[in-house]
Amino acid sequence: MLTKEGLKKEFGKEWQKYYQVETFKKEGFSRKICKTCSRAFWTLDQNRVFCGDSPCQNYEFIGKQVTKKKYDYIEMWKEFEKFFVKNGHTSIPRYPVIDRWRQDLYFTIASIQDFQRLDNGNMTFVYPANPLIVPQVSLRFIDVQNVGVTGRHLTSFVMSGQHAFNYPNEKGSYFKDRCIELNFNFVSKVLGIKKEDIVYHEDFWTMPDFSEFGPSLETFAYGLEFVNSLYTEFQSHDMKTFKPLDMKVIDVGWGHERLVWLSNGTETQYDCVFGPVADQL
């Protein structure tokens, strides 16, 4: 019987096949195991022994400037949009937060949801461009108990979606290598975060019924995760065996507010996102 943890362990044994990308080889990233939590991660810092996630690492960007400049809420999106449009993506308007196109969901919880359609129980994708980016406002009510406690959780936030569909069958689409190349170039060259401070976590994601699943790489810097790159790559019909999907999809969710926070170094995410409103409160 397939399980998420079982598949994650299985994929981890073949990390060269599922997680190692050309950027890691080109830049000289090393694969390590966290001394505290035992998670696998990739880094350019040969002395690093911790994965870079809390509680293994504290927020080391607070009170500091770790990017080229401090970006406000609007400036960060414009910088993001400029980079990805220059690299072949179409920028589209966000979809509503009230979901009227999927019968099983009331609210939009992630950018990839914009393009998903259910047809007799089968997932299909309808998209206006390929590849594309979208500043999708998302709602996450499961995070209510964390708001105001962690300093980073919100119930309404912008997921800057980066998506490419139907690889390798459609012109313009791409998969893991190009995905992480774009990720690394934006983080290091545009934002100016030191290469040695960028950490990639190996992870795994799946739909509840394993109709779609695959490996993922989470991007961290200074103790904060700010983007998750999901690869829709496999499927299972019997919960026992799996095979590759005919249409592979890149599903990347950038935490817009977290990028703003990272560039400002305020005590909490709320200080730089809500500004004068937080001061008044």
Side-chain angles (χ1 to χ4, degrees):
M1 196 72 173
L2 296 180
T3 65
K4 179 179 178 179
E5 287 305 314
L7 284 168
K8 183 178 179 180
K9 186 176 181 181
E10 182 178 339
F11 277 44
K13 291 178 181 178
E14 296 187 76
W15 54 265
Q16 298 98 329
K17 180 179 180 180
Y18 296 115
Y19 293 104
Q20 189 174 45
V21 293
E22 287 302 313
T23 296
F24 292 169
K25 297 177 183 177
K26 178 182 175 182
E27 297 290 336
F29 276 80
S30 297
R31 184 180 188 266
K32 297 189 176 186
I33 303 298
C34 181
K35 187 177 180 181
T36 302
C37 69
S38 300
R39 292 188 68 178
F41 66 94
W42 294 81
T43 179
L44 286 169
D45 183 355
Q46 300 305 313
N47 297 317
R48 179 181 286 274
V49 295
F50 301 113
C51 67
D53 193 5
S54 58
C56 302
Q57 181 178 340
N58 295 324
Y59 293 153
E60 296 180 354
F61 63 94
I62 293 177
K64 302 177 183 177
Q65 186 168 334
V66 298
T67 54
K68 286 181 179 178
K69 57 170 286 187
K70 293 183 178 181
Y71 296 90
D72 66 26
Y73 201 82
I74 303 301
E75 289 173 334
M76 181 59 77
W77 168 254
K78 288 183 176 179
E79 198 71 57
F80 181 90
E81 183 180 46
K82 178 182 176 182
F83 172 81
F84 279 98
V85 168
K86 182 179 179 181
N87 282 280
H89 295 66
T90 299
S91 179
I92 68 169
R94 71 172 182 88
Y95 283 44
V97 292
I98 304 299
D99 189 332
R100 303 183 188 278
W101 54 92
R102 272 187 63 175
Q103 304 91 325
D104 59 327
L105 293 171
Y106 293 109
F107 305 106
T108 307
I109 61 175
S111 56
I112 192 65
Q113 187 179 327
D114 296 348
F115 319 107
Q116 295 173 333
R117 305 292 184 271
L118 287 176
D119 183 14
N120 293 321
N122 297 315
M123 182 74 72
T124 60
F125 290 90
V126 176
Y127 41 91
N130 190 20
L132 59 80
I133 55 169
V134 55
Q136 183 56 49
V137 177
S138 304
L139 303 182
R140 292 280 179 89
F141 300 125
I142 60 172
D143 287 331
V144 167
Q145 67 270 23
N146 292 318
V147 175
V149 178
T150 65
R152 70 177 187 270
H153 281 92
L154 299 165
T155 52
S156 175
F157 64 95
V158 170
M159 179 180 288
S160 299
Q162 171 198 344
H163 303 290
F165 306 90
N166 202 19
Y167 177 87
N169 306 314
E170 197 166 324
K171 184 179 179 181
S173 188
Y174 56 83
F175 209 49
K176 297 177 188 176
D177 289 334
R178 179 59 172 161
C179 176
I180 297 303
E181 178 187 18
L182 289 167
N183 176 291
F184 186 71
N185 286 341
F186 179 72
V187 176
S188 63
K189 295 180 180 180
V190 178
L191 296 185
I193 294 174
K194 293 180 181 179
K195 294 181 178 183
E196 293 76 15
D197 294 327
I198 302 171
V199 180
Y200 293 94
H201 279 204
E202 291 181 9
D203 206 350
F204 191 86
W205 78 276
T206 178
M207 296 287 285
D209 60 356
F210 291 88
S211 57
E212 294 179 349
F213 62 88
S216 63
L217 286 169
E218 301 169 328
T219 311
F220 286 78
Y222 311 104
L224 182 70
E225 178 194 358
F226 52 89
V227 57
N228 194 3
S229 303
L230 308 182
Y231 309 120
T232 303
E233 192 172 359
F234 299 100
Q235 64 177 343
S236 176
H237 293 298
D238 57 10
M239 299 287 285
K240 296 178 182 179
T241 59
F242 63 90
K243 64 178 183 178
L245 283 164
D246 294 330
M247 184 180 82
K248 297 179 175 64
V249 174
I250 285 291
D251 173 14
V252 182
W254 294 75
H256 177 69
E257 287 85 358
R258 293 193 183 186
L259 288 175
V260 176
W261 187 23
L262 195 64
S263 78
N264 280 268
T266 52
E267 288 190 11
T268 73
Q269 183 172 242
Y270 318 121
D271 295 297
C272 58
V273 170
F274 299 113
V277 176
D279 293 339
Q280 183 64 35
L281 289 172

